[in-house]
């Protein structure tokens, strides 16, 4: 245990996690929670962004008595550079995910898809139209091939702006043009971010931060949007599904396979493999009652919204799932997979299988997918997991009997379908005041805080005040575990106006929109609300905002930036690592309003954050002239 052990009740809110943390303590297993203690006190220079190790004259740390690094860089430059590198890292992760999917689409069109196919022709044709690809009279393959090429161009473009920006409202594009932040090729933006932050290049903190916004737009309106688009084409546009979540989804007498990471290619095959007759026969031979396939983190969200596969947990539950002692195999790909997993697995019978060549892990078994027969590779993994079931030590098994029902799969198309084919009823509800506004609650979980406390208190307050909540990523899983996505019970927690709207159209007041790459879907729905008319002509006019309750990954920093650059105010549950520079902090939290009509805000208390959001939404309603329509909230 670390030096300053907190009581377990102060670490997590959900009872399943609490139970597993107790088991971890009894079995002397380190988790991210105990390692957070042993990392105390965390470095102030790192936290406030004033440590620079960009060149080997450093590392340099900025203090009152040493206000410049060896090269002469001041605190503003150093903090801004570190921030831009975070955005570049986050944007790279989501955009590379998008690239992998486009390359897969291209292979499918070339007959090299092996096991993958275009599942959703409507999604393909919808996207083809959006990118002005001629599709009339052409085969699916021809259209898909052109689309794949067009999307690959988005990564390669050197001097032209991203085509995907055309999907944004006209006024927003004009704002980007006027501020010179419309990105060109995604790869170029990220390379340029690294170049600008090399020693001796960009030293003007404003210029550096504007490139952070530019790079983030290449992610939100580029790589991430492309990832969601191609996922829908290859794996199907999500439709509402029912499922369950939390560690209690693991089976006592089934072979438990947990899939963790981000990219949907593997999970789709796994869902197929566990249903294969030969696999079903094989599982019988070991005396198990079947296979439970469950997800962790965003892979969970991907497989949940397309296959209804249960979610074992979010980021901070990846280790806890292993500590149940009931997981035969955890299969990981990229992003958010803790390197501690193999060590924890050693205490049980669990095998950690890593499938990505770019994400290997010491102690894990690396099993790459056979490019020509990936389904066979996946079946092989499943059979290995089944063999492993025989090694399960029942004395070490303790699955918390805790799980919650949820509804997910609310992509933009699904929401429209629920509303009768158009977003007009949602616009009407906003104008009539039944719904005060729309808020995206996104991001990760972080053991610095009592995990999920903020997100759940905030979500509860928001829906009570008639605010429709859209969620993705680990925040969505947190809310689902707390019952906010259970349509039967969540409705009762909503204000009267929101409840009536949700009941009328059959949606829960908190909508699961997908994985963290699917934050682009939140931008998409905000844009389509503008296109409906009557709510202004730019995203900054919408009564809408974003919240990142528990900031953890670099991706969350990039997401926050592309929300702000799109005109949506973003509230953070904790400050960025920029507090070492007043100028940088002021730029992000104040000055950015002058450029984008929105900025970041910090509010560490979820109740105060609710008030802040209500103010933001009310101000937007006043500007639109619809504030008098707001019904008095009945709480
Ligand atoms: Fe120090 Fe400048 Fe090198 Fe950074 S770039 S480590 S501030 S000398
Ligand atoms: S998985 S980036 S912890 S949402 Fe997308 Fe969760 Fe955040 Fe990873």
């Amino acid at each position: 245990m670390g030096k300053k052990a907190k009581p377990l009740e102060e670490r997590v809110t959900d009872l399943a996690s609490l139970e597993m943390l107790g088991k971890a303590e009894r079995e002397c297993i380190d988790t991210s929670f105990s390692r957070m203690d042993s990392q105390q006190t965390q470095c102030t220079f790192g936290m406030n962004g004033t440590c620079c190790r960009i060149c080997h004259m450093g590392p340099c740390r900025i203090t009152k008595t040493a206000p410049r690094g060896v090269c002469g860089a001041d605190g503003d430059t150093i903090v801004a550079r570190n921030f831009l590198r975070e955005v570049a890292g986050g944007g790279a992760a989501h955009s590379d995910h998008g690239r992998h999917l486009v390359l897969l689409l291209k292979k499918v069109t070339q007959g090299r898809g092996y096991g993958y196919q275009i599942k959703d022709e409507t999604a393909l044709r919808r996207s083809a139209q959006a990118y002005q690809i001629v599709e009339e009279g052409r085969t699916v393959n021809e259209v898909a091939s052109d689309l794949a090429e067009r999307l690959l161009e988005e990564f390669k473009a050197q001097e032209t702006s991203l085509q995907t920006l055309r999907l944004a409202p006209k006024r927003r594009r004009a704002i980007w043009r006027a501020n010179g932040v419309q990105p060109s090729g995604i790869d170029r933006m990220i390379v340029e971010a690294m170049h600008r932050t090399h020693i001796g290049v960009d030293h003007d903190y404003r210029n550096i931060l504007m490139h952070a916004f530019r790079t983030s737009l290449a992610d939100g309106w580029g790589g991430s949007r492309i990832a969601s688009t191609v996922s829908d084409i290859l794996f199907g546009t999500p439709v509402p599904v029912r499922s369950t979540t939390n560690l209690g989804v693991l089976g006592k007498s089934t072979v438990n396979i947990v899939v963790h990471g981000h990219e949907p290619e593997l999970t789709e095959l796994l869902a197929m493999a566990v249903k294969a007759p030969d696999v079903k026969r094989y599982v019988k031979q070991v005396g198990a009652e079947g296979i439970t396939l469950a997800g962790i983190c965003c892979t969970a969200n991907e497989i949940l919204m397309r296959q209804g596969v249960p979610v074992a947990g979010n980021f901070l539950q990846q280790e806890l799932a292993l500590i149940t002692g009931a997981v035969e195999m955890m299969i990981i790909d990229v992003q958010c997979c803790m390197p501690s997993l193999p060590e924890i697995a050693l205490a049980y019978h669990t095998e950690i299988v890593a499938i990505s060549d770019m994400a290997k892990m010491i102690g894990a078994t690396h099993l790459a997918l056979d490019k020509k027969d990936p389904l066979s590779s996946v079946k092989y993994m499943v059979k290995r997991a089944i063999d492993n079931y025989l090694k399960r030590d029942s004395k070490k098994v303790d699955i918390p009997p805790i799980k919650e029902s949820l509804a997910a799969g609310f992509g933009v198309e699904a929401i429209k379908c629920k509303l009768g084919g158009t977003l007009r009823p949602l616009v009407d509800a906003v104008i009539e005041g039944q719904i005060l506004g729309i808020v995206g609650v996104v991001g990760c979980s972080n053991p610095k805080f009592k995990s999920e406390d903020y997100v759940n208190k905030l979500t509860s307050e928001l829906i009570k005040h008639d605010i429709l909540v859209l969620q993705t990523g680990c925040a969505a899983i947190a809310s689902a575990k707390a019952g906010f996505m259970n349509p039967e019970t969540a409705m009762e927690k909503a204000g009267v106006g929101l409840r009536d709207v949700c009941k009328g159209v059959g949606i829960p007041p908190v909508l699961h929109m997908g994985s963290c790459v699917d934050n682009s879907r939140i931008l998409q729905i905000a844009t389509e609300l503008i296109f409906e008319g009557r709510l202004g002509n730019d995203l900054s006019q919408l009564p809408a905002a974003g919240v990142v309750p528990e900031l953890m990954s670099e991706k969350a920093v990039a997401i926050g930036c592309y929300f702000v650059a799109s005109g949506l105010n973003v509230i953070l549950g904790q400050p960025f690592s920029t507090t070492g520079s007043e100028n940088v902090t002021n730029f992000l939290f104040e000055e950015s309003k002058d450029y984008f009509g929105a900025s970041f805000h910090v509010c560490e208390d979820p109740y105060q954050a609710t008030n802040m959001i209500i103010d933001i939404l009310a101000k937007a309603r006043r500007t639109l002239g619809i504030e008098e329509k707001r019904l008095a909230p009945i709480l």
Side-chain angles (χ1 to χ4, degrees):
M1 287 301 301
K3 294 178 216 162
K4 293 183 195 166
K6 268 199 231 167
L8 300 185
E9 295 74 17
E10 287 177 24
R11 294 184 187 276
V12 288
T13 42
D14 95 79
L15 297 176
S17 296
L18 186 63
E19 217 176 299
M20 285 306 96
L21 281 181
K23 186 170 188 273
E25 267 193 9
R26 290 192 298 280
E27 295 178 1
C28 299
I29 291 173
D30 258 344
T31 64
S32 59
F33 296 90
S34 55
R35 290 190 299 272
M36 178 58 75
D37 289 342
S38 45
Q39 280 297 329
Q40 297 310 314
T41 304
Q42 287 180 311
C43 170
T44 326
F45 295 96
M47 284 210 284
N48 67 23
T50 52
C51 170
C52 184
R53 42 178 297 275
I54 272 170
C55 89
H56 287 259
M57 292 191 284
C60 301
R61 303 187 307 179
I62 298 304
T63 62
K64 275 196 182 125
T65 51
R68 286 181 185 270
V70 177
C71 68
D74 62 12
D76 295 340
T77 301
I78 290 172
V79 171
R81 282 196 302 215
N82 286 336
F83 186 80
L84 171 53
R85 284 196 169 200
E86 278 195 76
V87 173
H94 270 160
S95 297
D96 212 26
H97 169 164
R99 181 207 318 277
H100 293 161
L101 287 166
V102 181
L103 289 173
L104 180 58
L105 178 65
K106 186 175 171 178
K107 280 188 193 145
V108 168
T109 65
Q110 293 169 333
R112 298 188 294 128
Y114 309 114
Y116 297 99
Q117 55 188 346
I118 291 168
K119 259 202 189 157
D120 192 336
E121 191 184 327
T122 310
L124 170 69
R125 297 208 176 261
R126 203 170 47 228
S127 304
Q129 281 164 15
Y131 286 90
Q132 291 156 340
I133 289 166
V134 180
E135 38 124 12
E136 217 183 298
R138 302 179 75 208
T139 64
V140 166
N141 228 36
E142 286 166 344
V143 175
S145 171
D146 277 7
L147 180 66
E149 285 309 328
R150 187 74 55 86
L151 296 178
L152 280 178
E153 270 309 307
E154 296 289 77
F155 292 86
K156 297 186 270 186
Q158 297 302 309
E159 292 185 326
T160 49
S161 299
L162 286 187
Q163 301 292 301
T164 312
L165 301 183
R166 288 208 203 121
L167 305 179
K170 208 168 157 198
R171 173 122 177 239
R172 186 52 30 184
R173 284 183 275 147
I175 290 170
W176 291 334
R177 252 191 326 274
N179 290 310
V181 293
Q182 69 281 45
S184 55
I186 300 159
D187 291 350
R188 172 156 179 218
M189 291 301 97
I190 291 166
V191 168
E192 191 175 313
M194 298 309 284
H195 181 183
R196 280 173 185 251
T197 52
H198 186 274
I199 179 183
V201 186
D202 202 351
H203 297 119
D204 176 336
Y205 72 91
R206 281 197 184 85
N207 208 36
I208 297 170
L209 294 174
M210 286 306 260
H211 191 66
F213 284 114
R214 194 178 290 115
T215 305
S216 77
L217 287 171
D219 173 15
W221 289 92
S224 284
R225 178 74 180 249
I226 289 169
S228 301
T229 300
V230 181
S231 295
D232 289 355
I233 295 168
L234 287 171
F235 310 119
T237 302
V239 290
V241 285
R242 301 299 292 254
S243 192
T244 46
T245 182
N246 216 337
L247 296 170
V249 304
L250 298 173
K252 278 199 178 77
S253 318
T254 57
V255 173
N256 291 310
I257 300 176
V258 175
V259 59
H260 173 25
H262 269 78
E263 299 189 344
E265 296 95 309
L266 164 81
T267 48
E268 293 292 319
L269 288 176
L270 260 171
M272 248 188 267
V274 296
K275 289 181 204 147
D278 56 324
V279 170
K280 282 187 172 169
R281 275 193 303 276
Y282 198 73
V283 80
K284 274 197 184 143
Q285 290 169 19
V286 298
E289 285 173 8
I291 298 175
T292 298
L293 179 62
I296 290 272
C297 270
C298 280
T299 273
N301 290 320
E302 295 278 359
I303 202 171
L304 162 72
M305 64 179 177
R306 294 204 176 81
Q307 310 275 356
V309 166
V311 176
N314 51 10
F315 177 67
L316 288 180
Q317 286 179 298
Q318 57 186 291
E319 295 175 309
L320 307 183
L322 303 187
I323 292 166
T324 62
V327 175
E328 274 56 56
M329 180 177 282
M330 182 180 272
I331 308 178
I332 58 174
D333 58 9
V334 292
Q335 300 171 28
C336 305
C337 303
M338 292 189 187
S340 59
L341 294 172
E343 199 183 318
I344 295 181
L346 271 183
Y348 306 98
H349 67 302
T350 313
E351 182 173 27
I352 308 289
V353 171
I355 61 142
S356 169
D357 285 340
M358 60 174 270
K360 294 194 177 181
M361 200 180 265
I362 304 288
T365 312
H366 182 66
L367 293 174
L369 300 187
D370 179 339
K371 288 194 172 53
K372 293 205 168 163
D373 190 3
L375 184 60
S376 291
S377 308
V378 172
K379 277 189 185 175
Y380 169 71
M381 289 176 207
V382 172
K383 286 181 179 171
R384 247 174 114 109
I386 295 170
D387 292 339
N388 221 10
Y389 180 75
L390 296 170
K391 297 187 204 145
R392 192 191 279 187
D393 180 349
S394 60
K395 292 191 290 303
K396 290 187 178 175
V397 174
D398 181 4
I399 304 171
I402 296 167
K403 59 182 173 184
E404 181 57 76
S405 300
L406 73 122
F410 294 98
V412 179
E413 299 309 314
I415 295 173
K416 274 196 209 161
C417 182
K418 282 280 184 188
L419 296 173
T422 158
L423 293 180
R424 203 164 305 138
L426 191 51
V427 173
D428 290 342
V430 172
I431 290 176
E432 291 306 317
Q434 285 168 291
I435 292 178
L436 180 60
I438 296 160
V439 169
V441 179
V442 308
C444 322
S445 40
N446 183 331
K448 277 184 181 167
F449 316 103
K450 182 174 179 182
S451 178
E452 299 169 2
D453 188 53
Y454 191 118
V455 63
N456 290 334
K457 284 178 177 158
L458 176 82
T459 302
S460 175
E461 287 301 302
L462 292 178
I463 61 171
K464 202 160 93 180
H465 287 87
D466 294 319
I467 296 166
L468 180 66
V469 176
L470 310 177
Q471 294 195 334
T472 59
C474 290
I477 299 175
S479 284
K481 285 191 295 172
F484 290 111
M485 288 175 183
N486 181 337
E488 284 73 42
T489 55
M491 224 62 102
E492 301 317 313
K493 299 173 188 166
V496 174
L498 178 62
R499 193 189 310 158
D500 283 353
V501 174
C502 291
K503 274 193 176 157
V505 297
I507 54 171
V510 181
L511 296 176
H512 189 304
M513 293 197 81
S515 67
C516 53
V517 88
D518 290 319
N519 282 310
S520 60
R521 295 188 201 268
I522 297 182
L523 292 182
Q524 191 190 342
I525 198 163
T527 302
E528 296 213 13
L529 286 171
I530 295 294
F531 290 162
E532 272 297 331
R534 297 183 292 148
L535 289 177
N537 57 8
D538 178 46
L539 295 170
S540 63
Q541 290 173 284
L542 259 191
V547 190
V548 186
E550 291 181 48
L551 183 62
M552 185 281 292
S553 82
E554 290 172 326
K555 290 182 286 178
V557 181
I559 292 163
C561 283
Y562 69 64
F563 267 50
V564 167
S566 298
L568 298 166
N569 283 287
V570 171
I571 289 125
L572 307 172
Q574 73 191 95
F576 284 133
S577 302
T578 57
T579 49
S581 163
E582 216 171 288
N583 282 334
V584 168
T585 304
N586 188 53
F587 187 90
L588 295 171
F589 291 80
E590 289 292 336
E591 233 176 289
S592 53
K593 239 180 260 149
D594 302 339
Y595 297 94
F596 305 117
S599 67
F600 287 105
H601 310 260
V602 179
C603 189
E604 296 185 17
D605 175 81
Y607 298 105
Q608 283 172 17
T610 307
N611 292 335
M612 194 182 257
I613 290 163
I614 291 172
D615 283 350
I616 290 170
L617 303 184
K619 192 171 164 212
R621 297 180 66 86
R622 269 198 303 282
T623 314
L624 287 169
I626 57 171
E627 83 279 23
E628 74 284 358
K629 298 275 188 153
R630 167 79 184 130
L631 304 170
I634 301 167
L635 305 177

